[in-house]
Every structure is written in C-alpha cells, then in structure tokens.
Amino acid sequence: MKKTYYKEINFLRFLSISSVVIYHYFPEIISKGYLGVDLFFVISGFLISLFLFREIKNKKFKLLNFYNRRIKRIIPATIFLLSFVSFISFILFTRIDLVNYSKSLIYSIFFSSNIFFWLDGGYFGPSDKLKPLLHLWSLGVEEQFYILFPIFFLVAVKFFKNINNLIFLVFMISLVSLLLNIFLLNIGGYNPSFFLLPTRIWNFGLGILAMLIFVTKEKTHNNFEIGIYIFMIVLGFYYQIPFLPGNFIIVFFTFMLLKNKFPKRFVFDFIINNKLVQYIGLISFSLYLWHWPLLIFVEYYLVNEAGILIRLFTLFISILFSITSYHLIELNYRYKFSLKSLLALIAVSYTIFLLFFSLINFQKKTSYKINSPDFIGSASLTNFKCEISNYRLYNNKRGCIINNNLDIEDFEFVIVGNSHAQMYIPSLEPYLKKYSKKALLLPMTGCLPTMDVNISKECMNKSKEYFNNYSNDESIKTIIIATTWDHKQLYDGEKFINDPNHLRLAKSILNLINDLKKLEKKVFLISPIQIPSYQLPQNLSRLLKFNHLTQEEFLKELQVSRDVYDKNFKLINLLLQKELKNNFIQLHKTQCDRQKCYYSNNKGIFFADGSHISKYGAEFFSKSFEIIFE
C-alpha cells in the first residue's frame, strides 16, 4: 500500500474517532456518533485483508506473524488502560459497581467484552455511566474477527484461484450477516445484533470486498465521487434508511470510498493531508481507549452529568493520556520491544487482573449496614433478565420461557407487556414452581400491549401481531398484563393525543382485556406503582458515598408523599378496580400507606434503576400475586 493511501485511511480514522468522542462528550451534536465504530470495522476489514492478501500472494504469510503484529498493536496499550482503570475503580466505586467492573475486566482481557455487555443490558441503558470498559465491546468484536479471519481467508484464497469467485464468496457471507442483523432487529433482538460478531461480519465484509475490488480493478476516484461518498458517510451519522440497520449508510459508502484509489491531487487534499487530522488518525486507537473511562470517572463522582467546561477539561486530559499512550506504549511495543518482553508483560498483567477479580469476588457480601452506600447500591441492575437458554421464537416473535425445567410443551400462562411486565417474573416464579406451571414472557420492548392506542404506529402494529399470536393460542388460559403508565401522549392510529391522567390508556387496556375475555381467557392486570423516575440505587449510593447530601436529605429520597401517587393514578385505579375487581393486582397497596409511598425498607431497596423493581423488590411484592394461582 502506498504511503499516500495511509493518509486517506488516517482521515477515515479521524472521522471515526471524532464522531465517537463527540457523541460521548456532546451527544446533542452528533446523535448517532457511536456509528463511528462501524466505520472502524470497515477500515479494519479493508486493511487486514489487504495485508493478508499481499502476503499470501507473495508467499510470505505466516499465521503466527499475523497474530504477533495484532498483539503488539492492541494488547500493550489496552493493558496500560486496564491497569489505570482498575486502580481508579478500586478507589472510587461502590462494592456492587466494583464487582460488575471486575467481571467486565475479565471478559475484556479475554476478548469477549461484547458478550458481557450484551448480557449486562446493552449499550444505551441508563446504567452505561457505571461501565468504564463499555467501549471495549468493539475491541471484543475486532479481536474475535482477527482470530478467525486469517484462517478463513488463507483457505479461501488458496481454494478460489479466480478472484471473482472470492469476491462472490465474501459478498454472500456479508449478505447472510446483514440479513441476520435485520432479522434480529425485526424480532426485538437489538442488543445481540449490536454486540455479536455474526451480525457484524458484514461490516468487515464490505471492507474486504472493497479491498478485493481495489487490488483487482485499480480504478481511481474523481473529485465528485470522493465528495459524494464523504458527504454520505457524514449524513449517515444523522439519517437512517427505514427497515435497514442504522449503520448501513456509513458502512456502504465507506465501502464505496475504499474500493478505488484516490487521485494524487484532488479538491479535498488540504483536509485529508492536514497535519492535525493525520495525527488524530494516528492516535485514534489510544484516544478511543482513554476518552470514555475518564469521562465515566468524572461523572461517577459528580453523579449528575458534567457541565460543558468539565467535559472540555476531561476531553483535554483524555487527549494528553492518549498522546502519552501512543508514543510511550503503542510505538515502543510495536517496534522496539521483543515478543518475549511482550509475552512477559501479558503474563504478569493478566495474573494481576485475575488476582484483582478474585479479591473482589471471593468474599461477596450479601448484607450491608442499613442505608449505607453499599446497601443502596446492592439493588443496582438486579431486575430480571431472561437467560439466553430460555429464549424461544413464538410465532416469529421473541419469547422467554419461565420455569423451563418442567417437561411440558404448552404454556398455560403468558405475561404480556414491556419491560415492566418482565420485571415481575421473579414475583411470579415461586408460584409457577409451586403449582408446576410453565409460562411464556412476551416482551414488547419499548411498546405498550394495547392495540387502539400506543406510543407509535410501529408499536401499535407490534401489539396487534402479538395479540393475534397469544389470543388464538388455545393452550394459554391465563394472561397477565403489566406496562408502564408514564406516557402523557399516545398515538391513536391517526394522530398523537394527550392523556395526562392515563384514562385513555386505562380504557384501552380494558378494551384489550374484554377482547381476551371473549376468547375465554382469564386476565390479570398489574397496577401502576410509584417509581423514583431517576436511577435510585445508582445515584443515591454515590450521593451518599461522596457526601453530596445530608442524612436527612438522603432519607427523604427513599419516600414520596402519597399525594404524588394519587395525583397520577387514583382515577385509573378506581376505574380498573371497579371493572376488574380481584383481577386487578393493586401493588400500590403494598408499597404505600395513607401518607407515603416507599422505595425501600430495612431489608432492601425496591428498585434496580429508575423504574424497574429489583430482585428484593420482586420478593417484596410477590405475595400480591398469589391470587392469580388460587
């Protein structure tokens, strides 16, 4: 590859890292800046396949040499980062956050952090600011690709002598990956489609296709093409083509840009060859490593989002750390240190990381001093999550089997709704086991279970599809409905309407229940509960730990006036109780007395975040569900 082409690659790296950093520090500027990672994937596919292709053709390829280069490129800088982040986390974090961090650390050093964060709740959840290694998910995907791809590519190049056949093979594999991505998105599997290698292969694959066309056709872009492709890549950070993955525009037009050579002189040369642009492209890996955890530590201490001046200062410090890492770690270990020295570094550091993990997890405390930071924080993110082994496709919709150990095929019970239905599974599970019943959870992620109103047209269609499936299933006898109740506007099929007192939603749920009763289904509805509306265990534990509030202020945060609850829900509770009688599970009567509604008691915190009940909260409310099984 000509040296001039490195400059164009560095320009694309500049676009990638700039969009990611700006998104993390100033998300209001680039709403989809996280897609810069996808741009990295295409570049990686192009570069790695180009080096391998030339080495294989010149009969110089050695698998161990390839892995040696990848290790030198990535591992030392990552170890440097992990050592620093582990030290600060040990000092700063509450116990539950430190335990979660230590798990992410172990997954990270074994190139599987994407799997950990997929299982841990995703990339866009409210608890992201508790995960200083969250950004390493992309490193996990890349390393898995680097481990598998050279072997596949070596065999493919040797077997397919005609390069057009190789292009066709790569195209078909990329197409299958893209279709798998689209399929998962359509069944609500956004997290696996985002985090896992099989649905990311098409990102790398288009980079590989660009390389194969690049070396075969040897065509040169004109100024107009370069301008259009760069414009479309930038547009991809703001616009998405309906029914396609959100990263499609960026991935496709990066492919279009890479597949041909750049002319020696062109109208955008002054931008691409700009020294600052080139330098940021060079340090992009180190900047990617450092920018996120430093911001996390600042906001972890502040609890609330940092102001613009603090974010600018943190970004400046991140750049300094990145420059240091690039010159002292990246360059030295890539070109000056021997493989033997590198392996020694890996052996020592990995041993320390494993000991660190063991120290944190060997003696797990299950009880803490009441209302201490660790007592509050222990509820964090303990809401129910379906185990992978329990996921099933139910009439082409994603479902989760509850009490899966029973050797019966049919589901007598189904739990319907969004994440606020899912969170009650641990409350129901003891009774399902006691009475040897099997249930199916149908999580309409982000949508209400109602059909004549919902939060969007897409959700309305999704609810109708789910309804047609579970209502016509003769094996299902009992349906339990739960949902969020905080929407002030609803979509009625033609327009958005105001619903300040939730009466329209309540009537829509009653319509749904009446339709199910006509089909001889027994239906239970779970009442609204009073939710904190902010990340209670995560924020309150840190506010207390860092003395950001007094003990009196802290205790006030654990309760709210009953009037607040009644103002929002008294009317609909009276309506629903009148219509449904004992089939209306009134959890607020367990949570509230005449004066207050509570977020905790002396045994634990009821909430895992700002709205979902915790493991202890599910236990606390469980008694109210017994009536379903009587």
Side-chain angles (χ1 to χ4, degrees), residues 7 108 122 150 155 188 238 240 266 293 311 364 381 405 422 426 431 457 467 488 491 506 514 598 604:
K7 292 183 177 181
S108 296
V155 173
Y238 298 93
Q240 176 180 348
F266 56 99
R311 278 181 278 162
K364 285 187 178 179
L381 306 179
N405 295 327
Q422 178 172 304
Y431 300 106
K457 182 178 180 180
F467 175 82
K488 301 292 186 180
Y491 181 74
N514 288 331
Y598 301 93

Side-chain angles (χ1 to χ4, degrees), residues 15-28:
L15 282 182
S16 302
I17 190 60
S18 298
S19 63
V20 171
V21 171
I22 292 172
Y23 169 74
H24 284 150
Y25 279 76
F26 311 102
E28 61 278 3

Side-chain angles (χ1 to χ4, degrees), residues 559-585:
Q559 59 189 30
V560 67
S561 171
R562 174 64 186 261
D563 292 339
V564 174
Y565 178 83
D566 286 340
K567 181 180 179 181
N568 285 318
F569 304 118
K570 186 174 183 178
L571 286 176
I572 63 169
N573 280 338
L574 289 172
L575 171 65
L576 294 170
Q577 198 277 329
K578 178 182 177 181
E579 295 292 329
L580 301 176
K581 298 181 173 55
N582 289 338
N583 287 38
F584 184 45
I585 311 297

Side-chain angles (χ1 to χ4, degrees), residues 532-561:
S533 296
Y534 74 98
Q535 309 305 307
L536 186 145
Q538 295 87 354
N539 290 11
L540 204 53
S541 60
R542 289 181 282 152
L543 288 169
L544 192 61
K545 178 180 177 66
F546 301 128
N547 298 313
H548 291 333
L549 75 177
T550 65
Q551 189 69 18
E552 183 179 355
E553 291 170 332
F554 162 73
L555 291 175
K556 286 182 179 179
E557 293 291 329
L558 294 176
Q559 59 189 30
V560 67
S561 171

Side-chain angles (χ1 to χ4, degrees), residues 399-613:
C400 176
I401 302 173
I402 312 302
N403 201 18
N404 197 17
N405 295 327
L406 285 180
D407 189 21
I408 53 177
E409 291 295 325
D410 295 332
F411 309 102
E412 186 176 336
F413 291 78
V414 66
I415 300 97
V416 176
N418 54 21
S419 60
H420 282 235
Q422 178 172 304
M423 70 183 184
Y424 291 116
I425 295 302
S427 302
L428 292 160
E429 227 168 357
Y431 300 106
L432 291 169
K433 291 179 179 179
K434 179 180 178 180
Y435 294 101
S436 299
K437 302 294 183 181
K438 203 171 186 178
L440 179 68
L441 168 69
L442 294 176
M444 302 179 194
T445 308
C447 297
L448 305 176
T450 48
M451 295 185 291
D452 49 3
V453 295
N454 216 298
I455 62 173
S456 67
K457 182 178 180 180
E458 292 74 19
C459 280
M460 186 175 286
N461 292 334
K462 179 188 288 189
S463 177
K464 289 176 181 177
E465 290 174 8
Y466 271 95
F467 175 82
N468 289 333
N469 289 335
Y470 68 76
S471 64
N472 293 314
D473 190 332
E474 294 182 358
S475 65
I476 294 173
K477 307 299 183 185
T478 302
I479 297 167
I480 302 164
I481 299 173
T483 188
T484 48
W485 295 87
D486 57 347
H487 300 286
K488 301 292 186 180
Q489 278 196 330
L490 297 171
Y491 181 74
D492 69 355
E494 296 180 355
K495 62 184 181 302
F496 284 93
I497 58 174
N498 292 323
D499 189 26
N501 296 317
H502 315 293
L503 283 171
R504 185 66 184 86
L505 175 58
K507 291 176 182 177
S508 180
I509 289 177
L510 288 175
N511 291 339
L512 171 65
I513 292 173
N514 288 331
D515 288 342
L516 291 169
K517 284 182 177 179
K518 292 175 183 177
L519 297 169
E520 299 183 349
K521 307 292 185 184
K522 190 176 182 181
V523 187
F524 291 86
L525 175 66
I526 300 173
S527 76
I529 58 174
Q530 179 61 39
I531 61 175
S533 296
Y534 74 98
Q535 309 305 307
L536 186 145
Q538 295 87 354
N539 290 11
L540 204 53
S541 60
R542 289 181 282 152
L543 288 169
L544 192 61
K545 178 180 177 66
F546 301 128
N547 298 313
H548 291 333
L549 75 177
T550 65
Q551 189 69 18
E552 183 179 355
E553 291 170 332
F554 162 73
L555 291 175
K556 286 182 179 179
E557 293 291 329
L558 294 176
Q559 59 189 30
V560 67
S561 171
R562 174 64 186 261
D563 292 339
V564 174
Y565 178 83
D566 286 340
K567 181 180 179 181
N568 285 318
F569 304 118
K570 186 174 183 178
L571 286 176
I572 63 169
N573 280 338
L574 289 172
L575 171 65
L576 294 170
Q577 198 277 329
K578 178 182 177 181
E579 295 292 329
L580 301 176
K581 298 181 173 55
N582 289 338
N583 287 38
F584 184 45
I585 311 297
Q586 301 185 66
L587 296 187
H588 61 282
K589 291 186 176 181
T590 303
Q591 184 189 14
C592 308
D593 57 29
R594 291 183 179 181
Q595 285 78 38
K596 305 283 185 182
C597 291
Y598 301 93
Y599 300 138
S600 73
N601 61 21
N602 288 340
K603 293 183 179 180
I605 304 297
F606 300 156
F607 290 91
D609 50 33
S611 61
H612 301 95
I613 60 172

Side-chain angles (χ1 to χ4, degrees), residues 144-352:
Q144 291 157 23
F145 170 74
Y146 292 153
I147 290 170
L148 299 173
F149 174 68
I151 301 170
F152 158 79
F153 196 63
L154 176 63
V155 173
V157 171
K158 295 287 187 181
F159 184 79
F160 292 98
K161 305 297 183 182
N162 187 325
I163 198 167
N164 289 326
N165 292 334
L166 185 58
I167 289 174
F168 179 75
L169 174 66
V170 174
F171 171 78
M172 291 305 299
I173 292 173
S174 301
L175 180 62
V176 169
S177 173
L178 174 60
L179 293 175
L180 177 61
N181 191 314
I182 295 171
F183 170 74
L184 286 177
L185 290 174
N186 285 335
I187 64 169
Y190 180 84
N191 278 344
S193 71
F194 184 91
F195 281 107
L196 300 183
L197 178 61
T199 51
R200 290 288 183 170
I201 285 176
W202 73 278
N203 301 172
F204 297 99
L206 262 68
I208 300 166
L209 279 176
M211 181 281 296
L212 292 171
I213 296 171
F214 177 82
V215 298
T216 305
K217 307 298 182 183
E218 295 189 350
K219 292 184 177 180
T220 302
H221 285 303
N222 57 47
N223 285 328
F224 178 75
E225 288 174 338
I226 295 173
I228 288 294
Y229 297 154
I230 293 175
F231 172 79
M232 292 303 297
I233 290 170
V234 174
L235 180 66
F237 291 116
Y238 298 93
Y239 178 76
Q240 176 180 348
I241 299 175
F243 309 112
L244 287 176
N247 59 355
F248 185 84
I249 292 177
I250 289 174
V251 172
F252 178 76
F253 283 98
T254 303
F255 155 76
M256 294 296 291
L257 192 64
L258 289 173
K259 70 182 180 68
N260 291 345
K261 298 178 181 178
F262 278 57
K264 291 183 178 179
R265 295 186 180 278
F266 56 99
V267 69
F268 300 105
D269 189 64
F270 72 99
I271 298 176
I272 290 178
N273 287 318
N274 180 275
K275 290 184 179 180
L276 179 60
V277 168
Q278 286 294 308
Y279 186 71
I280 292 175
L282 284 173
I283 68 168
S284 58
F285 177 60
S286 283
L287 183 54
Y288 184 77
L289 289 179
W290 285 97
H291 82 282
W292 175 253
L294 291 181
L295 178 63
I296 291 305
F297 288 142
V298 168
E299 294 197 339
Y300 188 91
Y301 175 79
L302 294 176
V303 180
N304 298 313
E305 185 176 288
I308 187 169
L309 292 179
I310 294 177
R311 278 181 278 162
L312 285 170
F313 179 74
T314 306
L315 179 56
F316 174 73
I317 298 299
S318 300
I319 293 171
L320 291 182
F321 271 78
S322 305
I323 292 171
T324 303
S325 174
Y326 176 72
H327 289 283
L328 295 185
I329 307 298
E330 274 196 69
L331 293 182
N332 280 328
Y333 271 95
R334 285 175 73 183
Y335 302 116
K336 295 181 180 180
F337 284 83
S338 65
L339 178 61
K340 184 178 180 181
S341 300
L342 177 57
L343 294 176
L345 171 70
I346 294 173
V348 171
S349 58
Y350 274 44
T351 300
I352 293 172

